[in-house]
Amino acid sequence: AGFIKSPLSQKRLTQDSVELYCEAIGNPIPEIQWWFEGTEPNETYAQLWDGARQDRVQINATYNLHSTSTISIANLTSDDSGTYECRASNDPDRNHLSKSPKVKWIRSQANVFVIERPDIKTLTTDADGKLVLTCNLTAPHSDILGHAWMHGDKVLREDKEKSTVTSYTIEGKREDHSGVYECVYKASPDVRAQLNVTVAPQVMAYKKSEHGNEGDTGVLTCKNPSFPPVESWIWYKNGQEPIINGSGRYIIKSSGNKTELRILKLSIEEDTGDYHCNATNSIGYGSATVNLRVRSRLAALWPFLGIVAEVLVLVTIIFIYEKRRKPDEVLDDDDGGSAPL
């Protein structure tokens, strides 16, 4: 037996993706193939393989106790509309070119309709300290059942209005609200568009002051939580030239919105001071400062040595005091008389 677990009819927009899942049970374990028939009158079924349609088709199959197969098509076009058929058979002659198999292929189908993506015009306006994001859906393909505004995976607002225009207002500093926002039109299928709120890098140091022991490795870190991501990072010490990665005792590791400067074998004389991390993106640049303090390896012993010295001084004082103190006077027991009451 074979069947498709995905919905038997799916609507998608151009540039979206679709995924179909098929499962077959039998003994011996059956083979699964995927076939496609387009919407053109003269078009017939053609087998699909992994990497077809300019590598937009991906097929993954597993054969363990029973057969499972998944087909996914990325960056859909109108030519991808049609009937997708999952075929399963365990007959030894199933792929023979001239001999007909004794057991027929078991088939299961799903229809995919690819709709031309409607155009959404986006607008970002900044006035009176408020940032207004607006989306305008032109020529909707189906009835609008509502809207949603999202920032990443977070839903900011939802409504059930049927208007083709929807807006979202951001209050506060633009620097605190940068990122990728998305307006979603609830329809069949959903239509969405992205709006970018961009700012220059808002660089922050993980710690404004770092401490390290002489001879150890010092680690200074900066990050940029704003959008767009940083394109280049530069480290330099106060009053000196930019630090080159791999030069001397310096190692720089930068990835996207984070950078790290490692200083090997810290020196009190050479490495103590302020370090600056500069970030640049398509909007501008920003920087932060990290102060590095290098301590002697014996620094941790000074408090202990101080306590030991205090104890020695105190013991010495007590010893000297005991040596110089006069002996206690002893009572004279020769007196045979009785002491007055």
Side-chain angles (χ1 to χ4, degrees), residues 28-236:
I29 298 174
E31 176 194 2
I32 293 179
Q33 294 180 0
W34 288 94
W35 292 70
F36 170 76
E37 183 182 43
T39 56
E40 296 297 328
N42 297 327
E43 198 166 356
T44 59
Y45 275 101
Q47 186 177 355
L48 294 172
W49 66 92
D50 189 37
R53 297 179 186 174
Q54 297 179 341
D55 208 27
R56 293 189 298 111
V57 174
Q58 289 188 349
I59 298 176
N60 296 313
T62 59
Y63 298 95
N64 184 13
L65 299 180
H66 62 281
S67 306
T68 59
S69 182
T70 302
I71 183 171
S72 58
I73 301 106
N75 197 19
L76 290 169
T77 68
S78 57
D79 294 335
D80 296 319
S81 294
T83 302
Y84 290 80
E85 189 172 85
C86 164
R87 298 181 182 181
S89 176
N90 57 7
D91 191 291
D93 298 326
R94 59 184 177 272
N95 293 318
H96 202 284
L97 297 178
S98 58
K99 187 185 296 185
S100 299
K102 298 176 182 178
V103 180
K104 293 183 178 180
W105 288 86
I106 299 173
R107 294 171 169 84
S108 186
Q109 297 177 341
N111 295 316
V112 175
F113 303 95
V114 182
I115 304 169
E116 194 68 31
R117 177 178 293 274
D119 182 39
I120 299 179
K121 299 185 181 300
T122 60
L123 179 65
T124 302
T125 56
D126 193 350
D128 299 329
K130 296 181 180 180
L131 196 63
V132 181
L133 311 179
T134 304
C135 287
N136 184 5
L137 176 62
T138 60
H141 63 281
S142 63
D143 293 338
I144 299 173
L145 305 178
H147 312 91
W149 280 91
M150 303 184 67
H151 186 199
D153 296 331
K154 181 181 179 181
V155 178
L156 303 174
R157 195 193 70 199
E158 289 183 293
D159 62 54
K160 295 183 179 181
E161 299 178 3
K162 299 182 179 181
S163 172
T164 57
V165 179
T166 178
S167 298
Y168 181 76
T169 302
I170 300 173
E171 297 186 1
K173 295 181 179 180
R174 187 186 186 104
E175 290 78 6
D176 298 333
H177 300 280
S178 65
V180 179
Y181 291 78
E182 198 170 45
C183 61
V184 182
Y185 288 85
K186 297 179 181 180
S188 181
D190 291 348
V191 187
R192 56 187 66 208
Q194 291 183 347
L195 299 91
N196 296 331
V197 178
T198 58
V199 295
Q202 307 298 301
V203 182
M204 300 170 56
Y206 272 14
K207 292 182 180 179
K208 294 184 178 180
S209 180
E210 289 282 1
H211 301 269
N213 293 325
E214 189 177 19
D216 290 347
T217 299
V219 181
L220 313 180
T221 307
C222 290
K223 62 179 181 178
N224 169 50
S226 57
F227 181 86
V230 173
E231 296 174 356
S232 66
W233 288 96
I234 296 177
W235 282 91
Y236 68 92

Side-chain angles (χ1 to χ4, degrees), residues 335-341:
D335 187 1
S338 60
L341 293 177

Side-chain angles (χ1 to χ4, degrees), residues 257-272:
N257 282 334
K258 181 180 177 181
T259 183
E260 180 182 273
L261 170 64
R262 289 179 176 267
I263 306 174
L264 308 178
K265 297 181 181 179
L266 287 173
S267 168
I268 296 178
E269 294 79 10
E270 297 180 15
D271 299 325
T272 301

Side-chain angles (χ1 to χ4, degrees), residues 305-321:
L305 294 177
I307 294 174
V308 172
E310 291 180 358
V311 172
L312 291 176
V313 170
L314 183 60
V315 170
T316 302
I317 293 174
I318 294 174
F319 179 78
I320 295 174
Y321 174 78

